Amino acid sequence: MKNFHVHLSVVAIADSIDFYNTLFGQEPSKQRTNYAKWVLETPALNFAISQVTEQGEPGLHHLGFEFDSDITLEATGNRLENTTSEQLRHQVGTTCCYAKSNKYWIDDPQGIAWENFHTLSETDDYQESAKQENGPGENCVANGCCQANNSTGHTATKSSCC
């Protein structure tokens, strides 16, 4: 694993960017009109915020782990598949949060979405449809961004994805 990942949905993106710049003592490594990401070395953290959409609410969006290779990501995916395959969702080459990534989504017993991902490249697009091994569009929501659905079939993440 490379970094722990936290993603929050926020109401006022500019105010939130100012707050986290002060908290972290640095500017975002990536910033757009609806999104910002800080990559901290100590602690090893990938911290992202995105503007709340009309169907979302502010607060915790999801947690996860950023991996530095598909090999380490696949090892985690295989481990999760062996224990909870009915809940595991795999996305291949999905574009979200201005990056193209391979991902495994799973929800913990409380329904909190966990995103395990390896970023393949940066993009100029916030989101686009994903090719999923579990079937096209299975985890897509109204805003067109593919994200995790919890085991009850409800969308666990409420606004955008990363």
Side-chain angles (χ1 to χ4, degrees), residues 31-42:
Q31 183 176 342
R32 304 291 193 275
T33 58
N34 60 345
Y35 176 83
K37 175 177 78 174
W38 293 260
V39 178
L40 307 176
E41 289 184 28
T42 306

Side-chain angles (χ1 to χ4, degrees), residues 95-96 126-128 139-147 160-162:
T95 297
C96 202
Y126 183 69
Q127 62 192 19
E128 68 181 58
N139 296 331
C140 292
V141 294
N143 67 1
C145 192
C146 290
Q147 53 190 314
S160 57
C161 73
C162 254

Side-chain angles (χ1 to χ4, degrees), residues 86-89 91 105-108 111-114 132 137-142 145-158:
E86 69 280 353
Q87 296 175 14
L88 187 65
R89 280 97 45 208
Q91 295 177 323
W105 287 95
I106 194 157
D107 301 311
D108 73 8
I112 297 171
W114 282 81
Q132 298 180 19
E138 180 178 310
N139 296 331
C140 292
V141 294
C145 192
C146 290
Q147 53 190 314
N149 289 344
N150 66 24
S151 58
T152 63
H154 294 92
T155 301
T157 53
K158 296 179 182 170

Side-chain angles (χ1 to χ4, degrees), residues 20-72:
Y20 290 111
N21 283 346
T22 301
L23 178 66
F24 299 141
Q26 69 183 54
E27 299 287 317
S29 57
K30 184 186 294 188
Q31 183 176 342
R32 304 291 193 275
T33 58
N34 60 345
Y35 176 83
K37 175 177 78 174
W38 293 260
V39 178
L40 307 176
E41 289 184 28
T42 306
L45 177 65
N46 173 328
F47 183 87
I49 60 174
S50 60
Q51 185 79 39
V52 173
T53 60
E54 56 277 355
Q55 68 267 25
E57 296 178 18
L60 177 63
H61 190 283
H62 64 270
L63 300 171
F65 292 104
E66 177 183 16
F67 290 83
D68 52 8
S69 73
D70 271 342
I71 293 170
T72 55

